Amino acid sequence: MCVFNSNNAFIIENILAHSESDEYSWSQLIDGTSGELAQPIKENITKFSDTRIASLFNEIVQMRNRIIHSFQVTHNNIQILATKKKNGEQFIITEKYLLEFIQKNQELSSCLHKFRGY
């Protein structure tokens, strides 16, 4: 979750750095949900690059939501986490899922560093 939080703040930093107006403030952006950053990302990051950062961030937000909104279940006599998508599909949060979440966050961080220019 720490790497996600870092990327969320990095997204906000990049939005503010590329904003052509005073439409957004740090406190306004940090107070919203990560999903609410979609429009500011489109207006201030995608406008100057491509859709990779926006789509990757959206995918990571969805994965993070599944982790945060998970629930405990017993599977093979052990307690594990499971989650449910909005379409009703349920699945177990595996180590592979968590490692993919971490890897995607690393990829996003690299994209944001490249976008920032250093």
Side-chain angles (χ1 to χ4, degrees), residues 17-57:
H18 290 85
S19 178
E20 296 177 336
S21 70
D22 291 334
E23 181 179 358
Y24 301 108
S25 69
W26 178 85
S27 59
Q28 172 197 14
L29 294 173
I30 203 74
D31 284 346
T33 67
S34 297
E36 292 171 339
L37 293 174
Q39 190 61 33
I41 289 170
K42 181 179 178 182
E43 294 169 357
N44 298 286
I45 295 177
T46 303
K47 179 179 177 180
F48 298 104
S49 63
D50 58 25
T51 61
R52 182 67 187 137
I53 290 172
S55 63
L56 189 55
F57 185 67

Side-chain angles (χ1 to χ4, degrees), residues 1-8 34 52 56-69 91 93-109:
M1 295 319 307
C2 291
V3 70
F4 176 84
N5 290 343
S6 175
N7 277 337
N8 196 74
S34 297
R52 182 67 187 137
L56 189 55
F57 185 67
N58 182 58
E59 187 176 347
I60 291 167
V61 167
Q62 297 307 313
M63 291 180 82
R64 189 275 321 249
N65 288 347
R66 298 297 26 100
I67 295 166
I68 294 298
H69 299 291
F91 65 93
I93 296 177
T94 62
E95 181 178 352
K96 180 180 175 185
Y97 186 85
L98 295 173
L99 290 172
E100 182 181 349
F101 176 73
I102 293 167
Q103 182 274 325
K104 287 180 183 292
N105 270 285
Q106 176 59 49
E107 183 181 345
L108 177 60
S109 179

